[in-house]
Amino acid sequence: MADARPPARGNRIGAEPGGKPCPSLPRGKDREGVPRRALAAGVAALAVAPRTAAGTDFARIDAALDEAVAAGTVPGLVALVARGETVHVHTAGVRSLETGAPMRRDTIFAVASIAKPLTAAAALLLVEDGVLGLDEPVDRFLPELANRRVIRSLTGPLDDTVPATRPLTLRDLLTMRMGLGAVFADPATSPLLRRMAELGVAPGPRLFQDGPDAFLRRLGSLPLVHQPGERWLYHTGLDVAGVLVARAAGMSLGAFQRRRLFEPLGMTDTGFFAPTGKAGRLATVYWRDRESGRLAVWNPASGAGFADPPAFEAGGGGHVSTVDDMLAFGRMLLDGGTYRGRRILSEASVAAMLTDAITPAQKAASPFFPGFWDTHGWGLGIGLVTAPDAISPTPGRFGWWGGFGTTFWCDPATDTVALLFTQRMMGGPDDAALGNDFLRLAFAA
């Protein structure tokens, strides 16, 4: 199955009918031959003047971040703002409260959902290769998800279903409209949600603990919540897309991403775990205890979660990375698929990623955080800003947040990549406040 290579097909990349591009998309700007400046790993901050890039006040950014660490909002952080050829990095606090090890520029973080576009990019590389099609059924590589059925009611019995109107496609997975994902309802009221939790496949901070085949078997035992392509449900589609990439490529997701994305982009610290020799650079993940208000260890830096190869390479949220690695990926997207003169993704693939795929009707029927859809959309594996918001009056940004406390957004209007990596788990919308304050300063024109 993994070795199958179908003949190439035409018209494989592009927006589905009616898809509208996100405003201010990159227009394939060619910066070939222009080097990106970066200092050696471990340097705390670049020596730059407080204001050096179109009004960006780096001193104000640093002061605000230092204040957050001093107040105990987060144990530590690494921030990077790259505007044009100016790159500014700031570190503060510690990567481990237990050891007091200081944050460094090369600290490796569990980045959670900001790695969703990494999996989408890997899938689009296989589309460009002619191995996958965006709108073809995934059944050939994922037979566990063939002949789907859809539950009649979220509160009804698991066997009260109707047939799916069509097979699942790669586009369904990348746009998170596969019919399964995060449902904002009380699991006690739903046999389906309870069963998802029992099987370990409900979206959440705990990654799936078994292998990819077991993951697909368990998903395949469940009915869908909605018909394929009908509504947006967060997360699960990108985990499934990761399994699809691995099977279609004939190698693990991590191996394929390393060969086709990470090595060409120089993302030497990105993967699904920090191997021997790098585990000491991992930041410990914390969560805030609701009763005491104190930070408690969620996953120690030396624990099994990110220092050892996982059984399941979760394409939707299982990666580790650094700010410099994600800067390279963001620069590639801003440059229309090229990086340092090398073509990584086609311009058409990048444009497809950055096209809002969720219709107004689907947004209205797809609950997420209050007001989210007023200013946001979702492309192929990545979030889009579609209207002026509290961060900037200029739409067109793309990126996402990670549940372990990471922020990754790119702004074509100011040619800026902004990254804020912390290691405090998000527990609700308010936990994005620090990241959003950082973005307001980073994208100031």
Side-chain angles (χ1 to χ4, degrees):
M1 177 168 60
D3 294 331
R5 288 288 193 275
R9 300 172 177 86
N11 194 28
R12 307 184 70 82
I13 296 284
E16 59 189 328
K20 296 181 179 180
C22 180
S24 303
L25 292 179
R27 306 300 297 176
K29 294 179 290 184
D30 185 4
R31 299 187 182 90
E32 295 185 5
V34 179
R36 297 289 174 198
R37 299 184 183 130
L39 292 183
V43 178
L46 287 178
V48 293
R51 287 181 182 270
T52 59
T56 304
D57 191 338
F58 295 126
R60 187 180 177 193
I61 292 174
D62 295 351
L65 297 176
D66 287 342
E67 182 179 347
V69 173
T73 303
V74 293
L77 56 83
V78 181
L80 183 151
V81 180
R83 177 168 288 194
E85 295 306 306
T86 299
V87 181
H88 177 79
V89 176
H90 183 71
T91 65
V94 297
R95 63 178 184 269
S96 168
L97 290 171
E98 290 67 41
T99 68
M103 279 292 183
R104 303 190 316 184
R105 179 172 179 165
D106 67 349
T107 295
I108 299 172
F109 290 79
V111 297
S113 288
I114 70 167
K116 282 178 166 62
L118 299 179
T119 297
L124 291 173
L125 285 169
L126 289 175
V127 175
E128 293 179 11
D129 291 346
V131 176
L132 296 174
L134 269 173
D135 298 301
E136 294 169 1
V138 299
D139 300 1
R140 183 163 54 91
F141 291 108
L142 307 179
E144 299 94 332
L145 299 184
N147 303 313
R148 294 291 78 209
R149 298 190 67 84
V150 183
I151 200 164
R152 288 182 184 273
S153 170
L154 192 61
T155 59
L158 289 173
D159 58 357
D160 185 11
T161 62
V162 298
T165 55
R166 62 168 176 78
L168 294 173
T169 67
L170 174 58
R171 192 186 298 275
D172 294 329
L173 303 182
L174 300 185
T175 60
M176 299 197 294
R177 295 180 299 179
M178 69 169 290
L180 274 179
V183 178
F184 296 96
D186 184 356
T189 66
S190 171
L192 175 55
L193 297 185
R194 288 199 301 273
R195 186 58 178 156
M196 288 179 69
E198 291 168 0
L199 294 175
V201 296
R206 293 195 180 277
L207 302 176
F208 186 69
Q209 296 299 301
D210 210 333
D213 293 343
F215 179 74
L216 262 293
R217 284 196 304 271
R218 295 185 194 185
L219 279 187
S221 71
L222 299 168
L224 302 179
V225 179
H226 303 297
Q227 290 286 347
E230 183 179 79
R231 298 188 190 183
W232 186 89
L233 288 176
Y234 186 60
H235 183 72
T236 303
L238 270 298
D239 275 347
V240 176
V243 180
L244 175 61
V245 168
R247 290 185 178 180
M251 65 184 75
S252 70
L253 174 61
F256 181 78
Q257 288 182 318
R258 184 168 57 252
R259 178 180 300 180
R260 298 290 299 275
L261 275 178
F262 303 156
E263 289 180 355
L265 288 169
M267 298 173 66
T268 57
D269 292 320
T270 302
F272 289 99
F273 70 104
T276 302
K278 294 185 178 183
R281 292 161 49 200
L282 279 166
T284 302
V285 181
Y286 296 90
W287 67 286
R288 189 174 294 282
D289 184 276
R290 293 183 181 276
E291 294 184 3
S292 68
R294 296 178 180 176
L295 292 177
V297 173
W298 173 263
N299 194 351
S302 59
F306 302 105
D308 299 301
F312 178 56
E313 296 183 336
H319 288 79
V320 299
S321 191
T322 63
V323 291
D324 280 293
D325 278 9
M326 289 303 295
L327 168 62
F329 183 72
R331 272 293 170 216
M332 182 271 292
L333 294 180
L334 280 175
D335 288 354
T338 63
Y339 183 71
R340 293 180 174 173
R342 180 174 181 176
R343 173 63 61 183
I344 308 297
L345 274 176
S346 72
E347 190 172 352
S349 291
V350 174
M353 286 184 71
L354 305 183
T355 296
D356 189 4
I358 315 303
T359 68
Q362 290 169 343
K363 292 177 181 179
S366 304
F368 202 45
F369 296 121
F372 175 79
W373 293 117
D374 294 341
T375 56
H376 288 76
W378 187 262
L380 300 182
I382 196 166
L384 311 170
V385 175
T386 58
D389 63 0
I391 292 173
S392 172
T394 305
R397 298 193 315 277
F398 56 86
W400 202 237
W401 301 271
F404 291 143
T406 52
T407 302
F408 163 66
W409 284 89
C410 306
D411 182 25
T414 57
D415 191 28
T416 300
V417 179
L419 293 141
L420 177 62
F421 282 13
T422 77
Q423 77 273 44
R424 183 191 135 188
M425 186 181 301
M426 295 175 64
D430 291 345
D431 288 336
L434 176 61
N436 289 340
D437 289 343
F438 162 75
L439 293 176
R440 273 189 287 272
L441 294 173
F443 294 135

